[in-house]
Amino acid sequence: MQKKIQSALISVFYKDGLAPIAQQLHRLGITIYSTGGTQTFLENLQIPCVPVESLTTYPSILGGRVKTLHPAVFGGILGRRYEAQDLAEMAQYQIPEIDLVIVDLYPFEETLKTTKEEKLIIEKIDIGGPSMIRAAAKNYRDVVVVAAKNHFGLLEQLLATQNGETSIEQRNDFAAKAFEVVMNYDIAISNYFNPSNTTQQTSSQKQILRYGENPHQQAAFYGNLNEVFTQLNGKELSYNNLVDVDAAIQLISEFTLDASVFGIIKHTNVCGVAAAESVHTAWIKALAGDPESAFGGVLVTNGEVDKTTAEAINEIFFEVLIAPAFNSDALEVLKSKKNRILLQLVGEKATSTQQSKSLLNGVLTQATDEGNFTEWKEVGGRTTSDAEKEDLIFANLVCKHLKSNAIALVKNKQLIGKGCGQTSRIDSLRQAIEKANQFDFSLAGAVLASDAFFPFNDCVQIAHSAGIEAFIQPGGSIRDKDSIEYCVTNQLAMVITGLRHFKH
């Protein structure tokens, strides 16, 4: 169904790209209604327009908050040309038909990027704009709606080639685009008022990725990575890179700046992590924990990377290195590989407080796993030494970032063995002990952390046989006493935290 545009309402914040459209409308003899800065812009182009105030009989009031919210405007947009009653009422109240609505929205997201002043932000919440856009899109059978400047080109082409006529399919397409514009605008405002909401992101924050987890899967990231880090070198981040970068940042965020910490992530699991007196030493210890798994990993530290550390890291192949700072000599070394991704952290809190996952026919959300323990309950045959306590706290934090079932073996704040992703806890323990033995670590004096309770005392027995004498676990099993009694009998230390750290 072809329809010819006879009249247009134009009210836009961004004027760039508007002039050729206005000139086409004028050439076609289309009546133009406008207001405020847009009216002035058109008049400066020597294009006649009718002030919206002549329809509403009201001036712009309340500091510009109310300009177009009037039946004379919305009746002209929403009136159904195929309904005799609508046409009769429009004639009765002298409401002109409006066939084209060109309206964009106040720059809310752009304002958020430039100020934190609430008054300025609130005033950029558009009311009339979304209302007119939705009205025009709803009445797409009769009305063309253009809701953003990046749609100007298509309208200009249609005006030039179709002499102001549009098809129902074209109007439907413009309406679909318009509803998406308003949806994204509302999401941005909703997220401002609900900052913990991560289940909704605007398409303006959409970044198309090369592919997903595998090459045959399409993928995109919704969000603003510039708020998290600055990329100093390397290729575009992939889906898998981003997943591991998130895991790395979550890990390093657990540690204070009291010591230098270096972590190595592979497939979201920690394969190496250590704390030491310097970033360089922390790197050496982290790598030693599992040098095989570190190949192709994502590296992260909480301190500045210097040249000595960069030269040591440069000896292995890795995908990504994340740090709060790099000195110039270090960057020169690390940039020797053009595809190597270097990320400098910029924000204090780089990860969300909410997590979401698409599941079945919906979305599952939860708060992130914050904290290390809710209690420190010594229940073994002896209390922990100061050194053991430090290692147990460290091990429990590391275990939190391993896939369940998870076991972490730590000695002198160095991960020396880990088991993760196994279907039984005892298999994870065996894997952890095997890893430690593989790289010639003595388990004498090491501590063990478990992400969940021990259902039986077999894990404690096996670990004790390997040389471990201190344990930390959340407790909560109906058979906790079995593991506790074994520790009491054998003078082993055990701490109950009261906080489970499942990770699936």
Side-chain angles (χ1 to χ4, degrees):
M1 181 173 61
Q2 295 289 119
K3 286 193 70 72
K4 188 170 182 64
I5 298 170
Q6 304 285 352
S7 60
L9 171 62
I10 308 177
S11 179
V12 295
F13 188 89
Y14 295 105
K15 312 300 189 294
D16 44 316
L18 179 61
I21 290 175
Q23 288 161 349
Q24 288 277 15
L25 294 174
H26 181 52
R27 177 183 65 82
L28 292 167
I30 294 170
T31 301
I32 299 174
Y33 299 94
S34 192
T35 185
T38 306
Q39 179 183 340
T40 302
F41 175 82
L42 295 173
E43 290 172 345
N44 288 339
L45 292 173
Q46 304 301 309
I47 295 175
C49 55
V50 179
V52 168
E53 290 85 350
S54 69
L55 297 180
T56 65
T57 69
Y58 276 91
S60 173
I61 61 173
L62 306 182
R65 280 190 165 197
V66 180
K67 290 180 285 192
T68 56
L69 295 168
H70 192 279
V73 174
F74 281 86
I77 297 171
L78 284 165
R80 292 163 290 188
R81 281 54 154 180
Y82 53 89
E83 289 284 351
Q85 182 66 32
D86 285 11
L87 294 175
E89 290 179 358
M90 291 170 73
Q92 178 183 354
Y93 296 109
Q94 299 182 320
I95 298 174
E97 296 178 8
I98 297 174
D99 308 314
L100 169 64
V101 173
I102 304 175
V103 173
D104 63 7
L105 302 172
Y106 293 165
F108 182 79
E109 287 184 273
E110 292 83 349
T111 302
L112 287 180
K113 294 174 185 176
T114 59
T115 183
K116 295 186 181 299
E117 187 176 339
E118 184 183 26
K119 182 179 178 181
L120 294 176
I121 293 169
I122 295 301
E123 288 307 313
K124 286 299 184 287
I125 298 177
D126 205 331
I127 303 301
S131 300
M132 287 189 288
I133 291 170
R134 287 174 63 86
K138 176 178 179 176
N139 204 23
Y140 72 92
R141 286 189 58 175
D142 295 306
V143 180
V144 180
V145 58
V146 177
K149 62 181 179 179
N150 57 338
H151 304 161
F152 283 2
L154 180 56
L155 176 63
E156 183 183 353
Q157 182 183 3
L158 292 181
L159 292 172
T161 59
Q162 297 178 193
N163 289 318
E165 290 192 354
T166 60
S167 67
I168 185 68
E169 293 79 15
Q170 289 166 337
R171 295 193 296 278
N172 184 297
D173 184 54
F174 275 116
K177 289 181 171 67
F179 278 123
E180 184 176 7
V181 168
V182 175
M183 176 191 70
N184 287 318
Y185 194 74
D186 286 342
I187 288 172
I189 295 168
S190 174
N191 288 345
Y192 169 72
F193 284 98
N194 300 281
S196 63
N197 180 17
T198 59
T199 60
Q200 299 182 111
Q201 296 291 339
T202 68
S203 62
S204 65
Q205 297 172 303
K206 182 178 181 180
Q207 177 183 334
I208 301 296
L209 304 177
R210 296 196 305 274
Y211 53 82
E213 204 160 5
N214 299 291
H216 65 279
Q217 294 172 268
Q218 294 181 342
F221 174 78
Y222 289 84
N224 185 1
L225 293 174
N226 293 326
E227 294 177 353
V228 182
F229 52 70
T230 300
Q231 184 165 346
L232 304 178
N233 191 68
K235 60 186 178 182
E236 178 186 329
L237 284 155
S238 70
Y239 178 99
N240 291 330
N241 288 154
L242 287 169
V243 171
D244 279 344
V245 165
D246 177 66
I249 293 175
Q250 286 190 42
L251 171 69
I252 209 67
S253 297
E254 299 280 9
F255 300 99
T256 66
L257 297 177
D258 295 340
S260 297
V261 178
F262 219 114
I264 305 168
I265 298 290
K266 195 73 172 289
H267 300 304
T268 74
N269 283 303
V270 186
C271 62
V273 62
E277 67 279 3
S278 70
V279 171
H280 179 251
T281 304
W283 160 250
I284 298 299
K285 291 177 67 176
L287 179 64
D290 189 349
E292 287 184 350
S293 296
F295 182 85
V298 169
L299 318 181
V300 64
T301 183
N302 64 349
E304 182 179 62
V305 177
D306 58 19
K307 183 179 181 182
T308 302
T309 308
E311 288 174 338
I313 296 171
N314 202 44
E315 294 176 4
I316 74 161
F317 168 72
F318 64 91
E319 287 275 348
V320 184
L321 172 58
I322 310 161
F326 299 82
N327 72 26
S328 56
D329 291 337
L331 282 176
E332 186 176 351
V333 172
L334 294 167
K335 286 183 176 181
S336 61
K337 301 289 196 305
K338 67 177 183 179
N339 286 332
R340 177 182 286 162
I341 298 169
L342 305 177
L343 306 178
Q344 183 168 329
L345 294 171
V346 295
E348 288 186 10
K349 183 65 174 176
T351 56
S352 173
T353 57
Q354 292 284 320
Q355 296 173 322
S356 59
K357 178 187 294 187
S358 59
L359 187 146
L360 299 175
N361 62 344
V363 176
L364 197 64
T365 68
Q366 67 171 357
T368 54
D369 182 6
E370 301 284 353
N372 195 4
F373 47 82
T374 56
E375 61 178 341
W376 186 273
K377 190 176 179 181
E378 303 258 4
V379 296
R382 61 176 178 81
T383 57
T384 55
S385 67
D386 290 343
E388 284 176 332
K389 185 172 182 177
E390 289 187 5
D391 273 352
L392 286 169
I393 292 171
F394 187 90
N396 206 47
L397 283 175
V398 173
C399 197
K400 176 179 170 181
H401 295 274
L402 294 169
K403 291 290 182 68
S404 300
N405 289 300
I407 296 288
L409 307 180
V410 166
K411 188 174 182 179
N412 299 323
K413 295 184 180 177
Q414 177 188 20
L415 180 65
I416 61 174
K418 82 282 182 191
C420 52
Q422 301 303 305
T423 52
S424 73
R425 192 156 304 281
I426 199 165
D427 282 344
S428 290
L429 174 59
R430 292 186 180 114
Q431 183 186 64
I433 293 172
E434 182 182 342
K435 275 290 184 183
N437 291 335
Q438 179 183 353
F439 300 111
D440 299 322
F441 287 105
S442 168
L443 290 173
V447 305
L448 179 153
S450 174
D451 67 332
F453 62 66
F454 297 116
F456 307 101
N457 66 4
D458 49 4
C459 283
V460 178
Q461 291 183 38
I462 292 171
H464 181 213
S465 298
I468 294 166
E469 296 190 349
F471 302 84
I472 188 167
Q473 54 128 336
S477 169
I478 60 173
R479 301 188 63 169
D480 275 347
K481 63 180 180 62
D482 294 354
S483 296
I484 292 171
E485 286 176 359
Y486 183 89
C487 288
V488 170
T489 301
N490 293 277
Q491 289 296 293
L492 307 177
M494 176 172 280
V495 174
I496 300 291
T497 68
L499 195 62
R500 192 180 71 185
H501 292 301
F502 269 167
K503 185 181 181 187
H504 294 96

